[in-house]
Amino acid sequence: MRIENSQLAAALPKLGVELLPCTSLADYTHFGIGGTADLLRIRDRQAIPELVRLLHREGIPFRLLGGGSNLLVADGDLPWVVLQLAPLASAVRIEGNTAWVDAAADLGATVTQCARANLGGMEGLIGVPGSVGGALRMNAGAYGTQIGSFVREVEIFRSARGQIETLRNDAIRFDYRHTSFDPDDMMLAVKLELLSKPFQEILQGIRICNEKRRASQPLNQKSAGCIFKNPPGASAGRMIDALGLKGFRVGDAMVSDRHANFFVNAGAATCADMLRLMDAVREKVRYAYGIELEEEVIIWKA
Ligand code: EPU
């Protein structure tokens, strides 16, 4: 969708919002897949309530993009504008055992920055791609660690009420790749409580996780990480692999030959290709195991 109202376009810079017209979301997602929309980059978090009010007034639907690492976006002209928090120059503020982190901060960089201040616990999250905001929304996790365990407070924009609020951790549920935030809540910042640990010890943990990841995941291919959630007591990757589906493809959408729960864009895959591949694999798993796989990746269907 394009912003055609010139008054609205003129109001954006005053709110600290940069308009990137007709942007290909393929350039903003790790899959390298996605159609076009106007992209609004938000520098001033406090301007979000006013920005959202203006968009509502003009009847312009919008979606919030994080780091684009766990996202499959529809092809073609997209029927919404896309909002994204512009990264801040200093995204992490450390006070004792706690770190206040801006939602646009890169998760891996945040783990490293906290480590330098001798704050650890999040080593398992080191190779999880994407922004801190996206990680919070999904309760991202790896190697037995989930971001939700460290959360003390989250600052969000509550779309339903049109205002910025701070939630304490006891008001939020963090489950496996799922949280109790409303779908249209926007993550703005988080207060994490971390463990005091010497930098070298944290670094050792980080190295171990990086090695494990390199050994099992296709890190240099365009993917959105694991495509399906692991069903209770089972492994989606192991089941898909056992069906001999590594390398199985629809167009340029392909089951990774390294890890069967990673689907990759092996060239010029479209969203339609990827969805067809997901359906085909889901069907085969349902037939063979009687298990319905649920997607882990977020899908923006037009
Ligand atoms: N396996 C196979 N073949 C494969 C892939 C895996 O046989 O092609 C087997 C492995 O040998 C292992 C089991 O399946 O015995 C589990 O595999 P792995 O250890 O790779 O973990 P996973 O359950 O597939 C989960 C998360 C990953 C996270 C890793 C490490 C989900 C859906 N996936 O993968 O998270 O990085 O554990 O903790 O929970 C993501 O969320 O996008 C993601 C990649």
Side-chain angles (χ1 to χ4, degrees), residues 70 128 141-144 176-177 213 216-217 224-230 235-238 241 246 258-262 296:
N70 195 39
V128 176
Y143 303 113
Y176 169 60
R177 302 294 195 272
R213 200 176 277 278
S216 64
Q217 301 183 357
C226 284
I227 201 95
F228 296 115
K229 293 182 183 176
N230 284 333
S235 157
R238 189 184 294 138
D241 190 4
K246 280 184 172 164
R258 202 165 169 76
H259 191 301
N261 197 20
F262 278 63
E296 198 263 354

Coordinates of all heavy atoms in Angstrom, one line a residue, residues 70 128 141-144 176-177 213 216-217 224-230 235-238 241 246 258-262 296, ligand 1:
N70 N 12.1 -14.1 11.0 CA 11.2 -15.2 11.3 C 9.8 -15.0 10.5 O 8.8 -15.3 11.0 CB 10.9 -15.4 12.8 CG 10.3 -16.7 13.2 OD1 10.7 -17.7 12.6 ND2 9.4 -16.7 14.1
V128 N 20.5 -16.7 17.6 CA 19.1 -16.5 17.1 C 19.1 -15.1 16.4 O 19.3 -14.1 17.0 CB 18.1 -16.5 18.3 CG1 16.7 -16.2 17.8 CG2 18.2 -17.8 19.0
G141 N 13.9 -18.8 21.5 CA 14.7 -19.6 22.4 C 15.6 -20.5 21.6 O 15.4 -20.8 20.4
A142 N 16.6 -21.0 22.2 CA 17.5 -22.0 21.7 C 18.4 -22.6 22.8 O 18.7 -21.9 23.8 CB 18.4 -21.4 20.6
Y143 N 18.8 -23.8 22.6 CA 19.7 -24.5 23.6 C 19.2 -24.3 25.0 O 20.0 -24.0 25.9 CB 21.1 -24.1 23.3 CG 21.5 -24.3 21.9 CD1 21.8 -23.3 21.0 CD2 21.6 -25.6 21.4 CE1 22.1 -23.5 19.7 CE2 21.8 -25.9 20.1 CZ 22.1 -24.8 19.2 OH 22.3 -25.0 17.9
G144 N 17.9 -24.5 25.2 CA 17.4 -24.5 26.6 C 17.1 -23.2 27.2 O 16.8 -23.0 28.4
Y176 N 6.3 -21.7 25.0 CA 7.1 -22.2 23.9 C 6.8 -21.4 22.6 O 5.6 -21.6 22.1 CB 7.0 -23.7 23.7 CG 7.6 -24.2 22.4 CD1 9.0 -24.1 22.2 CD2 6.8 -24.8 21.5 CE1 9.5 -24.6 21.0 CE2 7.4 -25.3 20.3 CZ 8.7 -25.2 20.1 OH 9.3 -25.7 18.9
R177 N 7.6 -20.5 22.2 CA 7.4 -19.7 21.0 C 6.1 -19.0 20.9 O 5.5 -18.8 19.9 CB 7.6 -20.6 19.7 CG 8.9 -21.3 19.5 CD 10.0 -20.3 19.3 NE 11.2 -21.1 18.8 CZ 12.1 -21.6 19.6 NH1 12.0 -21.6 21.0 NH2 13.1 -22.3 19.1
R213 N 25.4 -24.8 16.5 CA 24.5 -24.2 15.5 C 25.1 -24.4 14.1 O 24.5 -24.8 13.2 CB 24.2 -22.7 15.8 CG 23.0 -22.1 15.1 CD 22.9 -20.7 15.5 NE 22.2 -20.6 16.8 CZ 20.9 -20.7 16.9 NH1 20.1 -20.9 15.9 NH2 20.3 -20.6 18.1
S216 N 24.7 -27.9 12.7 CA 23.5 -28.5 12.3 C 22.5 -27.6 11.5 O 21.5 -28.1 11.0 CB 22.7 -28.9 13.6 OG 22.4 -27.8 14.4
Q217 N 22.8 -26.3 11.4 CA 21.9 -25.5 10.7 C 22.5 -24.8 9.5 O 23.7 -24.5 9.4 CB 21.4 -24.4 11.7 CG 20.7 -25.0 12.9 CD 20.1 -23.9 13.9 OE1 20.3 -22.7 13.7 NE2 19.5 -24.4 14.9
A224 N 14.2 -18.8 7.4 CA 13.5 -18.1 8.6 C 13.7 -18.9 9.8 O 12.9 -19.0 10.7 CB 12.1 -17.8 8.3
G225 N 14.8 -19.7 9.9 CA 15.0 -20.6 11.0 C 14.1 -21.8 10.8 O 13.7 -22.2 9.7
C226 N 13.7 -22.3 11.9 CA 12.8 -23.5 11.9 C 11.4 -23.0 11.4 O 10.9 -22.0 11.8 CB 12.6 -24.1 13.2 SG 14.1 -25.1 13.6
I227 N 10.8 -23.8 10.4 CA 9.6 -23.4 9.8 C 8.4 -23.8 10.6 O 7.4 -23.2 10.7 CB 9.5 -23.9 8.4 CG1 8.5 -23.1 7.5 CG2 9.2 -25.4 8.3 CD1 9.1 -22.0 6.8
F228 N 8.5 -25.0 11.3 CA 7.4 -25.5 12.1 C 7.8 -25.6 13.6 O 9.0 -25.8 13.9 CB 7.0 -26.9 11.7 CG 6.5 -27.0 10.3 CD1 7.2 -27.7 9.3 CD2 5.3 -26.4 9.9 CE1 6.7 -27.8 8.0 CE2 4.8 -26.5 8.6 CZ 5.5 -27.1 7.7
K229 N 6.9 -25.5 14.5 CA 7.1 -25.7 15.9 C 7.4 -27.2 16.1 O 6.8 -28.0 15.3 CB 6.0 -25.3 16.8 CG 5.7 -23.8 16.7 CD 4.6 -23.4 17.7 CE 4.3 -21.9 17.6 NZ 3.1 -21.5 18.4
N230 N 8.1 -27.6 17.1 CA 8.2 -29.0 17.5 C 6.9 -29.4 18.2 O 6.5 -28.7 19.2 CB 9.4 -29.2 18.4 CG 10.7 -29.2 17.7 OD1 10.8 -29.5 16.5 ND2 11.8 -28.8 18.3
S235 N 10.1 -34.1 17.3 CA 11.0 -33.2 16.6 C 10.5 -33.1 15.1 O 10.5 -34.1 14.4 CB 12.4 -33.6 16.7 OG 13.2 -33.1 15.6
A236 N 10.1 -31.9 14.7 CA 9.6 -31.6 13.4 C 10.8 -32.0 12.4 O 10.6 -32.7 11.4 CB 9.2 -30.2 13.2
G237 N 12.0 -31.5 12.7 CA 13.1 -31.8 11.8 C 13.4 -33.3 11.6 O 13.6 -33.7 10.5
R238 N 13.4 -34.0 12.7 CA 13.7 -35.4 12.6 C 12.6 -36.1 11.8 O 12.9 -37.0 11.0 CB 13.7 -36.0 14.0 CG 14.3 -37.5 14.0 CD 14.3 -38.1 15.3 NE 15.2 -37.5 16.2 CZ 15.0 -37.3 17.5 NH1 13.8 -37.6 18.0 NH2 15.9 -36.7 18.3
D241 N 13.0 -35.2 8.1 CA 14.2 -35.9 7.6 C 13.9 -37.4 7.3 O 14.3 -37.9 6.3 CB 15.3 -35.7 8.6 CG 16.7 -36.1 8.1 OD1 16.8 -36.5 7.0 OD2 17.6 -36.1 8.9
K246 N 14.7 -34.0 2.7 CA 15.8 -33.0 2.5 C 16.0 -32.8 1.0 O 16.0 -33.8 0.3 CB 17.1 -33.5 3.2 CG 17.1 -33.2 4.7 CD 18.4 -33.6 5.3 CE 18.5 -33.2 6.8 NZ 19.5 -33.8 7.5
R258 N 20.5 -29.6 5.1 CA 21.3 -29.7 6.3 C 20.4 -29.9 7.5 O 20.8 -30.8 8.4 CB 22.0 -28.3 6.5 CG 23.2 -28.4 7.3 CD 24.0 -27.1 7.1 NE 25.1 -27.0 8.1 CZ 26.2 -27.7 8.1 NH1 26.4 -28.6 7.1 NH2 27.0 -27.6 9.1
H259 N 19.3 -29.2 7.6 CA 18.4 -29.4 8.7 C 17.0 -29.4 8.1 O 16.6 -28.4 7.5 CB 18.6 -28.3 9.7 CG 17.8 -28.5 11.0 ND1 16.5 -28.6 11.1 CD2 18.3 -28.6 12.3 CE1 16.1 -28.8 12.4 NE2 17.2 -28.8 13.1
A260 N 16.2 -30.5 8.3 CA 15.0 -30.6 7.6 C 13.8 -29.7 8.0 O 12.8 -29.6 7.3 CB 14.5 -32.1 7.6
N261 N 14.0 -29.0 9.2 CA 13.0 -28.1 9.6 C 13.3 -26.7 9.2 O 12.7 -25.7 9.6 CB 12.7 -28.2 11.1 CG 11.4 -27.5 11.5 OD1 10.5 -27.4 10.7 ND2 11.3 -27.2 12.8
F262 N 14.4 -26.5 8.5 CA 14.7 -25.2 7.9 C 14.3 -25.3 6.4 O 14.8 -26.2 5.7 CB 16.3 -24.9 7.9 CG 16.7 -24.4 9.2 CD1 16.6 -25.1 10.4 CD2 17.3 -23.1 9.3 CE1 17.1 -24.6 11.6 CE2 17.7 -22.6 10.5 CZ 17.6 -23.3 11.7
E296 N 6.0 -22.2 12.8 CA 6.7 -21.4 13.8 C 6.9 -20.0 13.2 O 7.0 -19.0 13.9 CB 8.0 -22.1 14.1 CG 8.7 -21.7 15.4 CD 9.8 -20.7 15.2 OE1 10.1 -20.4 14.0 OE2 10.3 -20.2 16.2
Ligands
EPU1 N1 17.3 -33.9 13.4 C1 17.3 -34.9 12.3 N2 17.4 -34.4 11.1 C2 17.3 -33.0 10.8 C3 17.2 -32.1 11.8 C4 17.2 -32.6 13.1 O1 17.3 -36.0 12.5 O2 17.3 -32.7 9.6 C5 17.3 -34.5 14.7 C6 18.6 -34.1 15.5 O3 19.6 -35.0 15.2 C7 18.1 -34.0 16.9 C8 16.6 -33.6 16.8 O4 16.2 -33.8 15.5 O5 18.1 -35.3 17.4 C9 16.4 -32.1 17.2 O6 17.2 -31.3 16.3 P1 17.9 -30.0 16.7 O7 18.8 -30.3 17.9 O8 18.6 -29.4 15.5 O9 16.8 -29.1 17.3 P2 15.4 -28.7 16.8 O10 14.4 -29.2 17.7 O11 15.2 -29.1 15.3 C10 15.2 -26.5 18.1 C11 14.6 -25.2 17.8 C12 15.7 -24.3 17.1 C13 16.9 -24.2 18.0 C14 17.5 -25.6 18.3 C15 18.6 -25.5 19.2 C16 12.3 -25.3 17.3 C17 11.2 -25.5 16.3 N3 13.5 -25.3 16.9 O12 15.5 -27.1 16.9 O13 15.1 -23.0 16.9 O14 17.9 -23.4 17.3 O15 16.4 -26.4 18.9 O16 18.1 -25.3 20.5 O17 11.9 -25.2 18.5 C18 13.9 -21.6 15.5 O18 13.1 -21.4 16.4 O19 13.7 -21.0 14.4 C19 15.0 -22.5 15.6 C20 15.8 -22.8 14.7

